[in-house]
Amino acid sequence: MEFINSIKAFEQAKKSIPGGVNSPVRSFNSVGSNPVFIKKAFGSHIEDIDGNDYIDYVGSWGPMILGHAHPDVIKAVQDTAINGTSYGAPTEIETEMAELIKSMMPSVEVVRMVNSGTEATMSALRLARGYTGRRFIIKFEGCYHGHGDSFLINAGSGALTMGVPNSPGVTEGTANDTLLAKFNDLESVKSLFKKYGDQIAGLIIEPVTGNMGVVVPTRDFIQGVRDVCTQYGALLIFDEVMTGFRLAKGGAQEILGITPDITTMGKIIGGGLPVGAYGGKREIMEKVAPAGPVYQAGTLSGNPLAMAAGLTTLKLLNDTPDFYNILEAKAEKLVSGLQKAIDELEFPAVINRIGSMFTLFFTDDDKVESFEDVKRCNTELFAKFFDKSLQAGIYLAPSQFEAGFMSIAHTEADIDKTIEASRKAIEELKAEL
Ligand code: KE4
């Protein structure tokens, strides 16, 4: 494959955009190669500006569950745009969207639309603090909730100390209000509650992680987190920006059978346009302005175009018989094919999959169940696998610490080709080990 035009485009972009991209992971820095610039996409495929075609398992980082440029979504956007693109005033489609979200995710009794997952999670934190009158938020090492200051935090010196900034520009004061726990380690949560319990406003978690790669919670862990939040009166915030409407109609909370107090959403509910949302119990959400005192606002929140794309997407997910079983079967076919290659070639790797989300971890361990496990992965080996896959026309997330996404548009031929290309890449890597 040739990447001449993408290489030129990246050099040009770097003159005017920080790092040449509008979101860091797109730079391919984690895999040490030049990013490909995309010209167009349809269904399960994307095409770069050099004319290279790829089977796409990034799907815009989750939103494209129906595949790219779904005709119904495109038509909804076109039909809406001819009547204007934004009014900054209430529209009935926003109410229709809210009602559909509520019907698909019953823990959400009232929901506010925003413009990104970051806005949703930032707002959820402010709401938790405003509702409880408390200071601290617990998050988990390895979980990502967008770029809000309260989330860009590393663990402090001791397990029970407050966080420290992990980005310039985040103040000590902000960092000190975030406490760090360990995913799948209930004791790390309980010890924070024992020490700070009545000062903890909320705990935010990716109920199934995607941002350290896919890691599934143990039953005892996620139930224990729910129970300890209830015990201390802290709000449990499920960050379902990635898992919402992805893992099931009702997201991870439906699969796990856990009811959070607040849920944050994004990605799929925008159908590819900028949308986020946060919602939950009426008693909590009615603290949000103008119903209540917790301020949050947005010029383009609930704008008609994004609502049209998102509502059309959610309706298709909600109304297509057996959608999630069909989607999961595609993911299972891919992963079992990859697993067969790993087993037969005796290659050091572990695959985690739940629903249509999966991650191939390059590790000597026989399981990946925690951030500690994830940190032992061989990112150099991943980078080589990524590059071989890209050359073979398979577009994976350019980082070991991300999730892959199957769409309903991926065909049997796509999956067979992916398995074949991956087996070949693994064979070549095995020879280099
Ligand atoms: P956005 O602000 O990027 O819309 O959403 C932030 C966010 C919040 N919560 C979860 C669980 C998320 O996965 C995200 C964003 N996910 C990343 C992918 N790991 C977006 C890709 C990017 O940063 O460019």
Side-chain angles (χ1 to χ4, degrees):
M1 281 189 171
E2 292 297 329
F3 302 108
I4 296 164
N5 292 324
S6 279
I7 291 167
K8 275 190 227 159
F10 193 37
E11 288 314 306
Q12 185 66 21
K14 282 192 272 192
K15 296 174 187 168
S16 309
I17 303 171
V21 291
N22 283 312
S23 197
V25 71
R26 302 178 192 172
S27 65
F28 282 24
N29 282 352
S30 305
V31 291
S33 49
N34 196 88
V36 291
F37 279 58
I38 304 303
K39 181 167 77 178
K40 61 182 179 179
F42 184 77
S44 57
H45 286 245
I46 55 173
E47 184 180 317
D48 70 19
I49 59 174
D50 288 286
N52 300 312
D53 180 79
Y54 307 91
I55 301 168
D56 178 19
Y57 291 99
V58 178
S60 182
W61 303 96
M64 310 323 292
I65 192 169
L66 297 175
H68 291 284
H70 188 288
D72 296 5
V73 175
I74 299 303
K75 185 171 185 317
V77 173
Q78 289 170 329
D79 292 351
T80 304
I82 54 177
N83 291 321
T85 53
S86 179
Y87 314 121
T91 59
E92 290 179 296
I93 193 171
E94 293 165 81
T95 308
E96 194 180 352
M97 179 69 149
E99 289 171 350
L100 182 55
I101 287 173
K102 287 169 62 177
S103 73
M104 293 172 79
M105 200 174 263
S107 73
V108 176
E109 296 173 345
V110 176
V111 59
R112 165 60 59 84
M113 307 310 295
V114 293
N115 298 285
S116 70
T118 294
E119 262 195 273
T121 55
M122 285 168 61
S123 306
L125 287 204
R126 184 179 310 128
L127 174 58
R129 290 179 163 132
Y131 177 77
T132 61
R134 298 178 180 181
R135 168 187 175 188
F136 291 117
I137 291 287
I138 294 175
K139 79 171 289 285
F140 291 84
E141 291 180 271
C143 284
Y144 176 71
H145 305 290
H147 64 86
D149 282 5
S150 297
F151 305 118
L152 301 181
I153 307 295
N154 276 332
S157 52
L160 292 185
T161 56
M162 298 142 182
V164 296
N166 81 356
S167 164
V170 176
T171 65
E172 292 290 339
T174 299
N176 284 347
D177 290 341
T178 299
L179 307 173
L180 271 289
K182 295 182 184 303
F183 195 85
N184 270 337
D185 175 349
L186 186 56
E187 271 318 301
S188 75
V189 181
K190 287 183 172 176
S191 52
L192 289 174
F193 272 101
K194 280 196 191 89
K195 180 161 185 172
Y196 300 105
D198 60 359
Q199 302 174 66
I200 297 173
L203 177 151
I204 187 167
I205 188 169
E206 289 181 63
V208 167
T209 77
N211 290 290
M212 59 168 111
V214 174
V215 177
V216 181
T218 65
R219 174 87 243 141
D220 290 348
F221 169 71
I222 199 70
Q223 184 62 60
V225 166
R226 171 67 277 178
D227 295 345
V228 74
C229 285
T230 305
Q231 180 186 348
Y232 285 89
L235 299 188
L236 175 57
I237 304 166
F238 267 15
D239 180 357
E240 295 226 43
V241 166
M242 188 184 284
T243 56
F245 315 101
R246 161 63 61 181
L247 293 182
K249 270 186 194 180
Q253 56 195 267
E254 175 184 317
I255 290 190
L256 299 172
I258 299 285
T259 302
D261 299 303
I262 299 174
T263 300
T264 56
M265 295 157 266
K267 295 182 190 280
I268 286 171
I269 65 170
L273 270 68
V275 179
Y278 62 107
K281 289 176 181 162
R282 180 175 300 279
E283 176 198 353
I284 298 170
M285 289 304 295
E286 291 196 340
K287 290 285 185 189
V288 177
V294 178
Y295 195 70
Q296 181 268 309
T299 303
L300 294 171
S301 296
N303 80 79
L305 285 198
M307 293 298 99
L311 187 62
T312 304
T313 299
L314 288 188
K315 279 180 177 173
L316 282 164
L317 298 178
N318 197 41
D319 300 343
T320 305
D322 230 13
F323 181 91
Y324 289 94
N325 289 335
I326 296 166
L327 184 67
E328 177 156 19
K330 291 173 186 278
E332 175 49 30
K333 175 183 163 78
L334 173 64
V335 166
S336 54
L338 297 179
Q339 190 61 59
K340 187 165 178 283
I342 288 165
D343 294 343
E344 288 171 0
L345 295 166
E346 296 178 342
F347 191 78
V350 165
I351 307 177
N352 285 352
R353 178 188 71 78
I354 180 168
S356 58
M357 286 172 59
F358 55 90
T359 299
L360 174 55
F361 292 101
F362 288 78
T363 177
D364 294 321
D365 292 0
D366 55 12
K367 61 182 178 30
V368 176
E369 295 174 341
S370 70
F371 188 48
E372 300 311 313
D373 295 345
V374 167
K375 286 192 287 187
R376 283 196 295 275
C377 285
N378 184 333
T379 52
E380 283 172 30
L381 205 48
F382 172 81
K384 290 177 181 173
F385 179 77
F386 172 87
D387 200 50
K388 290 176 185 294
S389 300
L390 194 72
Q391 293 282 351
I394 313 298
Y395 190 80
L396 304 174
S399 164
Q400 169 70 94
F401 311 120
E402 294 287 354
F405 300 100
M406 187 63 73
S407 86
I408 204 72
H410 282 79
T411 63
E412 297 296 300
D414 288 335
I415 295 166
D416 291 341
K417 177 181 176 184
T418 307
I419 292 168
E420 185 189 339
S422 302
R423 173 183 283 273
K424 184 169 177 292
I426 290 168
E427 278 168 350
E428 290 168 5
L429 290 174
K430 170 110 176 148
E432 293 167 21
L433 281 182

